Amino acid sequence: MSTQVHANLTDEQVRTISEDLDEPEWLLETRLDALAALEDLEMPSVIRTPGRDWTNLDALEYERIVDPLDRSQEKDRVEAEGVDVLSWSEALSEHGDLIEDRFGSVVDPQRDYLTALSTALFSAGTVIYVPEGVDAEDVKIRTRMHSQSLFNYTLVVAEESSSVTILERQTTGTDLEDKQYYSGIVEVDAAENAHVQYGALQNLSEETYNFSVKRGHADTYATVNWIEGNIGSRLTKTSVETRLIGDSSESKIVGAFFGHEDQHFDLASRVWHEGEHTVADLVTRGVLDDEARSVYEGVQDVGTEAWDTSSYQRENTLMLSDESEADASPKLIINNHDTEASHSATVGQVDAEDLFYMTSRGIGEKRATDLLVEGFFVPVMEEIAVDELREDLDELVVERLQR
Amino acid sequence: MSSEDLKDTDTEARFEFKKEEKSAFETEKGLTEETVRVISEDKDEPEWMLERRLRALEQFQQMPMPTDWPGQPDLSEVDVAEIVPYIRPDIETRGGAESWEDLPDEIKDTFDKLGIPEAEKNALSGVGAQYESEIVYQNMQERWEEKGVIFMDMDKAVREHPELVREHFMTKCVPPSDNKFAALHGAVWSGGSFVYVPEDTTVEMPIQAYFRMNSEGMGQFEHTLIIAEDNAEVHYIEGCSAPQYAEFNLHSGGVEVFVGENAHVQYSTVQNWSKNTYNLNTKRAIVEADGTMEWVSGSMGSKATMLYPATILKGPGATDNHITIAFAGDGQNIDTGAKVYHNAPNTSSTIESKSISKDGGRTNYRGLVHISDGAENSKTNVECDALMFDNESTSDTMPYMEIQESKVDVAHEATVGKIGDEDVFYLQSRGLDDDDAKQMIVAGFIEPITEELPIEYAVELNRLIELEMEGSLG
């Protein structure tokens, strides 16, 4: 299984990528190790019940869609004052030691097959360094993918008592009329009392396969918040994760998705409570139309030493079509009794009474449904603390409704 | 029996005593085709049943052990080669004694201590008691028999009601291919209950069976088959226990329930296997149009339990209700939950799951709600609450929802919390000591379960919980 892409990947390709970025030896070694590890690594785990994997990652024809040396893209980086927002080659020359220290410290470069593939082949990406005490405005990164495949690696280092908001958008440029593969790894290291908000809006073409891992470590009093909007792609497999390592750290994971046609979203939100007095809130809402399918897993894991934990999770799916399918599995794993935790999940259709009320007031049925769908997203939109991202997401929702 | 009688019994003695083993017939340890043939021959079974057993054995041998579920109990100790699958007690009354008085003293004594026949003496409808692998006592009030209700041990039913059994036994409801332990069960099953309720018949009093494992290193594989025809109504209660032994025991029962159109079946269990028992059960019901299935389960004992009673809502308007409670103490892993398949329109289900863990015990809720394409206007509501006593314990909630139909109403909610300091303080300030206060809170927590059970079972459940909590609160 795991050798299918390995067959046409070579050390030479990896060395070429590394040379182009003017990398130090350690990073080349990390890449080559990841490449070598592909042989033994498994695909990322998907939700499974006995006899059934809910997302089939092996079905991807990696050999055909991964082209390691084709990496054409447009990247806009809008810096914020006091923050270094750097391409990889810039970052390696300016913050070499820091990167060597932090790279792979949050996301294990070999955590699974697709992550190791990203580690070996990434050529695009950004390093964001927020020095101690800096209170930054919004950093914006827009990636427009033109190539067959693109491997993006983002590292965020927020030093003590700093704060930053990062907005990332992924779109596809030239329509290749063919399958594409986008892979994004994001590591966030939030030091004591740092506050990092990371918003991502994925609107890739609907022939694109998308794999992403976003993971943050929160030190004492630190906050790592995630906003995850998924609109595009043919298949998305994404996991947004926070380890609440320090006492009194916090995380909020807000997710929104809207699937139509034959889109498949496999979404995970995970939080590990490790320190004391930690707080987490996971909120996800999604709409499915046509034959779209969503698989959601949310995990709240409370460790043995996580005293006085508060952990909440809500997931709601709205189904607009009979051909759509939704799977939800919110999980609680509790090893400390001094915990207040809850989760809830619902799946339902547009409320018939609401629809009747609106149509009886003279609103056409299509318009009424659209309004109810927009209304369904409101509780999630309210959780999105970044105006620009909220407005963009809202726009994409409205756009999709009009199609 | 009244709750007064129960109060006079030493709870500990009731559940922890064991008897000298005295068996007339015992198969060799381990599982071979020969063993299966010997069991079947000893039971004087028809050829078709032997064939089913052998086919199940083949399936068992081909299937791997379940190891791929996240957080599942460790089953590495379960070595079928070490299990004695079949023990027949040394009594004259094989196939069921006519009356309680006919039973040998030591067996009577065993059941007396458990308090079960007391319920019978107080004229409840029926009691069947299984000791090791065989039913030793069974009784049914005549007035039900006159209406055509059948309640007998499963072995006897194979001989006396072959058509009914042949059609329903491990065919549509729990085929041996369902899982490794269902296959094992199909090969070596022994004893259990057969209940048949004809059309338009209501059995007003609960039918009861009690299973007990007394020997060391044995497996118990009783099969229960309940057939409720259209418009029938019955409540079946089963209780299980086994004393503590050093070696492990395996319990792998099978329960199949057929709920006819507009019929109503309630199946209640209070399980208190000894803490060396692996309890790997398969229970399933098929419900026709407008029928109702209700599962009420209390899981107290066992070292590890993997049990997810399943209901297939096959006919439009069918209903399923699950109420489960799990209690895990030191060294226990209770992995239990519910499965519901909504395969027809206008079906509805509710799952209410409560768990308590303490002293390093682990409880898992693992559930599946499946709504098929076309099961429109289906509704399901799942609620899980976990109560944790201390920091050595673990409680996981793993629900899965597979929804293939848009016109549905699906909701899942779960909460976990510690026992409330304020509640304890309040009760203490009203004069209760710490232990009593906590016991009262637990009793309140599990009330939704106990109120579904007849009084003597509710009392027994409360007693078991008291026993579990004794001296362990601080």
Side-chain angles (χ1 to χ4, degrees):
Chain A
M1 166 209 91
S2 50
T3 51
Q4 56 164 324
V5 77
H6 195 58
N8 63 353
L9 286 181
T10 62
D11 281 12
E12 262 334 289
Q13 290 167 330
V14 171
R15 283 178 199 280
T16 307
I17 294 168
S18 182
E19 265 168 43
D20 288 354
L21 293 180
D22 208 6
E23 278 176 11
E25 190 61 23
W26 71 263
L27 188 48
L28 174 64
E29 291 301 325
T30 306
R31 288 177 185 274
L32 290 172
D33 289 348
L35 185 71
L38 287 179
E39 210 141 350
D40 301 318
L41 288 171
E42 298 288 326
M43 280 289 160
S45 61
V46 296
I47 302 182
R48 59 192 306 205
T49 41
R52 185 172 181 192
D53 285 352
W54 294 356
T55 300
N56 185 359
L57 294 172
D58 295 318
L60 295 192
E61 302 161 83
Y62 298 94
E63 203 155 311
R64 207 165 70 78
I65 54 175
V66 170
D67 186 351
L69 298 180
D70 172 17
R71 46 189 192 255
S72 66
Q73 53 157 328
E74 283 168 64
K75 199 149 227 139
D76 304 324
R77 295 189 183 92
V78 178
E79 299 203 8
E81 208 185 320
V83 183
D84 293 345
V85 182
L86 306 167
S87 71
W88 273 94
S89 42
E90 290 168 334
L92 286 164
S93 70
E94 279 181 41
H95 295 288
D97 292 348
L98 180 87
I99 292 170
E100 183 170 2
D101 187 39
R102 309 293 168 88
F103 184 93
S105 67
V106 179
V107 176
D108 176 358
Q110 298 179 16
R111 88 182 219 158
D112 52 49
Y113 185 89
L114 296 179
T115 307
L117 190 66
S118 267
T119 309
L121 301 181
F122 82 90
S123 53
T126 305
V127 174
I128 296 157
Y129 178 71
V130 194
E132 194 176 325
V134 168
D135 208 355
E137 298 289 312
D138 297 356
V139 170
K140 295 171 196 170
I141 309 163
R142 184 186 295 270
T143 306
R144 180 165 294 156
M145 168 179 178
H146 295 300
S147 47
Q148 184 80 51
S149 57
L150 190 66
F151 297 88
N152 215 3
Y153 211 110
T154 307
L155 174 65
V156 180
V157 178
E159 300 286 20
E160 272 180 37
S161 302
S162 67
S163 89
V164 66
T165 295
I166 298 153
L167 302 184
E168 193 200 357
R169 290 179 191 74
Q170 299 111 13
T171 53
T172 330
T174 340
D175 209 339
L176 284 183
E177 302 266 328
D178 197 3
K179 286 177 187 163
Q180 286 172 280
Y181 181 71
Y182 177 89
S183 168
I185 308 291
V186 178
E187 294 190 84
V188 171
D189 184 356
E192 196 174 319
N193 202 36
H195 189 286
V196 177
Q197 177 145 269
Y198 196 102
L201 192 50
Q202 177 272 113
N203 192 29
L204 297 161
S205 87
E206 285 174 35
E207 286 301 314
T208 307
Y209 290 83
N210 171 41
F211 169 70
S212 87
V213 175
K214 300 187 176 79
R215 187 171 162 117
H217 282 181
D219 203 337
T220 310
Y221 290 113
T223 300
V224 177
N225 290 343
W226 302 96
I227 301 159
E228 170 88 353
N230 280 292
I231 301 290
S233 83
R234 177 160 183 175
L235 181 146
T236 282
K237 162 80 185 164
T238 174
S239 189
V240 183
E241 310 169 351
T242 306
R243 271 179 68 195
L244 297 166
I245 299 170
D247 293 350
S248 303
S249 54
E250 295 186 19
S251 183
K252 184 178 235 178
I253 302 175
V254 179
F257 62 91
F258 192 161
H260 73 158
E261 291 174 4
D262 65 347
Q263 284 186 300
H264 182 115
F265 293 125
D266 182 318
L267 312 150
S269 301
R270 298 194 177 95
V271 59
W272 289 266
H273 295 265
E274 294 171 31
E276 298 183 18
H277 325 295
T278 57
V279 179
D281 194 4
L282 280 49
V283 187
T284 298
R285 280 195 170 212
V287 173
L288 297 173
D289 203 351
D290 306 325
E291 288 158 38
R293 181 188 168 102
S294 72
V295 177
Y296 169 85
E297 182 178 66
V299 181
Q300 299 151 276
D301 188 315
V302 179
T304 319
E305 300 308 314
W307 297 90
D308 187 25
T309 296
S310 300
S311 192
Y312 307 96
Q313 178 180 182
R314 285 160 285 162
E315 201 268 344
N316 309 88
T317 311
L318 184 66
M319 292 171 87
L320 300 179
S321 144
D322 239 15
E323 277 69 53
S324 58
E325 194 175 344
D327 297 303
S329 181
K331 294 180 181 167
L332 280 165
I333 297 170
I334 312 291
N335 288 295
N336 186 305
H337 74 294
D338 189 9
T339 298
E340 256 189 50
S342 73
H343 69 209
S344 67
T346 66
V347 180
Q349 59 194 323
V350 169
D351 189 85
E353 272 179 45
D354 291 347
L355 198 61
F356 176 75
Y357 175 83
M358 290 170 80
T359 48
S360 72
R361 290 287 178 284
I363 303 169
E365 193 173 320
K366 166 80 174 107
R367 178 76 190 124
T369 307
D370 290 355
L371 285 170
L372 289 170
V373 169
E374 280 183 62
F376 176 77
F377 277 115
V378 166
V380 165
M381 297 287 184
E382 280 173 351
E383 300 289 344
I384 299 178
V386 186
D387 295 346
E388 193 181 321
L389 190 75
R390 186 175 57 242
E391 284 155 19
D392 283 1
L393 182 64
D394 194 41
E395 208 170 284
L396 288 172
V397 167
V398 171
E399 209 174 276
R400 172 142 300 176
L401 285 168
Q402 283 162 356
R403 279 175 71 171
Chain B
M1 99 194 89
S2 71
S3 55
E4 269 314 299
D5 291 337
L6 272 170
K7 265 183 201 152
D8 293 338
T9 322
D10 177 353
T11 316
E12 182 113 30
R14 287 177 64 214
F15 295 101
E16 291 294 335
F17 69 97
K18 65 176 176 183
K19 287 280 175 193
E20 283 288 303
E21 273 179 68
K22 251 171 80 184
S23 58
F25 177 82
E26 208 176 297
T27 57
E28 296 279 303
K29 272 188 179 182
L31 187 53
T32 61
E33 190 183 317
E34 190 50 34
T35 314
V36 171
R37 285 183 185 279
V38 166
I39 296 171
S40 184
E41 201 183 318
D42 190 60
K43 290 177 180 300
D44 202 10
E45 282 177 355
E47 188 62 23
W48 61 264
M49 181 54 88
L50 173 64
E51 275 163 23
R52 277 189 201 181
R53 286 181 184 274
L54 293 172
R55 206 162 57 231
L57 176 67
E58 218 169 280
Q59 284 167 318
F60 169 72
Q61 283 160 345
Q62 282 162 9
M63 282 187 223
M65 287 288 273
T67 52
D68 58 345
W69 292 16
Q72 75 164 69
D74 178 12
L75 301 180
S76 57
E77 205 190 8
V78 178
D79 181 0
V80 176
E82 287 299 311
I83 292 169
V84 181
Y86 179 60
I87 298 176
R88 192 174 77 216
D90 177 24
I91 49 165
E92 295 298 307
T93 52
R94 184 168 169 222
E98 292 283 304
S99 83
W100 180 251
E101 301 309 322
D102 294 343
L103 285 174
D105 287 343
E106 71 261 30
I107 292 181
K108 253 195 307 202
D109 188 37
T110 302
F111 287 111
D112 262 337
K113 280 197 177 143
L114 290 162
I116 296 309
E118 293 295 326
E120 162 68 2
K121 282 176 192 162
N122 286 295
L124 281 168
S125 68
V127 174
Q130 176 154 344
Y131 194 82
E132 317 295 26
S133 309
E134 293 258 334
I135 287 273
V136 291
Y137 170 71
Q138 197 137 39
N139 191 25
M140 179 79 191
Q141 277 192 353
E142 272 175 22
R143 61 177 169 134
W144 305 121
E145 282 174 6
E146 280 164 14
K147 288 184 173 181
V149 176
I150 304 167
F151 175 42
M152 60 171 54
D153 83 78
M154 199 61 225
D155 295 326
K156 199 167 156 192
V158 172
R159 295 188 299 271
E160 294 187 10
H161 300 282
E163 310 78 33
L164 278 172
V165 175
R166 195 171 180 170
E167 185 191 338
H168 294 95
F169 188 91
M170 299 193 83
T171 51
K172 295 167 260 191
C173 200
V174 179
S177 57
D178 187 74
N179 65 71
K180 189 171 178 75
F181 292 96
L184 175 66
H185 174 86
V188 301
W189 76 272
S190 191
S193 305
F194 176 74
V195 177
Y196 175 82
V197 186
E199 248 179 85
D200 303 317
T201 306
T202 300
V203 183
E204 281 129 13
M205 305 298 271
I207 289 179
Q208 302 180 46
Y210 207 90
F211 302 101
R212 185 170 172 78
M213 233 191 290
N214 216 43
S215 303
E216 192 169 359
M218 80 165 288
Q220 180 155 326
F221 307 95
E222 83 286 349
H223 192 92
T224 300
L225 176 57
I226 298 171
I227 303 166
E229 300 284 12
D230 297 353
N231 301 309
E233 194 172 333
V234 66
H235 181 183
Y236 177 88
I237 300 179
E238 125 197 315
C240 312
S241 72
Q244 182 78 45
Y245 285 96
E247 268 186 63
F248 77 96
N249 284 323
L250 173 62
H251 172 251
S252 186
V255 174
E256 301 184 278
V257 184
F258 292 85
V259 184
E261 276 185 30
N262 202 37
H264 186 152
V265 177
Q266 180 172 339
Y267 189 106
S268 306
T269 321
V270 177
Q271 169 270 109
N272 189 38
W273 298 112
S274 64
K275 285 173 189 158
N276 63 331
T277 300
Y278 286 85
N279 182 39
L280 309 165
N281 257 331
T282 309
K283 298 184 177 182
R284 187 169 301 163
I286 297 177
V287 188
E288 304 293 341
D290 299 315
T292 301
M293 180 68 208
E294 294 191 67
W295 298 99
V296 178
S297 324
S299 293
M300 315 291 304
S302 84
K303 175 171 189 167
T305 286
M306 289 176 81
L307 170 63
Y308 325 95
T311 301
I312 298 164
L313 298 170
K314 187 181 161 205
T319 301
D320 170 63
N321 298 313
H322 270 91
I323 298 176
T324 75
I325 176 160
F327 193 124
D330 185 18
Q332 288 184 281
N333 188 344
I334 310 284
D335 194 313
T336 184
K339 284 201 277 187
V340 188
Y341 295 85
H342 291 258
N343 290 350
N346 305 313
T347 50
S348 64
S349 63
T350 60
I351 297 168
E352 194 173 346
S353 163
K354 303 238 175 198
S355 74
I356 300 164
S357 48
K358 63 172 211 34
D359 299 335
R362 177 179 183 135
T363 57
N364 293 351
Y365 170 83
R366 199 187 297 275
L368 172 67
V369 174
H370 178 97
I371 300 190
S372 303
D373 194 4
E376 55 182 43
N377 300 320
S378 286
K379 273 187 201 175
T380 181
N381 191 48
V382 182
E383 270 180 55
C384 303
D385 298 310
L387 188 62
M388 295 176 75
F389 270 88
D390 52 59
N391 206 33
E392 283 69 54
S393 305
T394 305
S395 181
D396 297 353
T397 311
M398 288 167 280
Y400 294 92
M401 282 165 269
E402 304 181 354
I403 316 299
Q404 297 171 332
E405 166 63 46
S406 68
K407 292 185 204 68
V408 293
D409 187 353
V410 176
H412 171 95
E413 265 179 67
T415 64
V416 176
K418 59 178 172 175
I419 201 154
D421 291 338
E422 275 176 41
D423 297 338
V424 174
F425 177 77
Y426 174 83
L427 290 167
Q428 281 174 335
S429 72
R430 290 289 179 279
L432 288 171
D433 70 25
D434 190 54
D435 278 13
D436 287 344
K438 285 179 177 170
Q439 278 186 12
M440 188 170 277
I441 290 165
V442 170
F445 180 73
I446 63 162
E447 199 181 279
I449 312 291
T450 50
E451 69 188 13
E452 289 297 319
L453 291 167
I455 183 72
E456 62 277 1
Y457 274 85
V459 170
E460 181 173 327
L461 187 64
N462 273 323
R463 290 218 140 227
L464 284 169
I465 286 170
E466 271 173 41
L467 179 64
E468 292 296 329
M469 288 172 49
E470 230 162 59
S472 61
L473 300 171

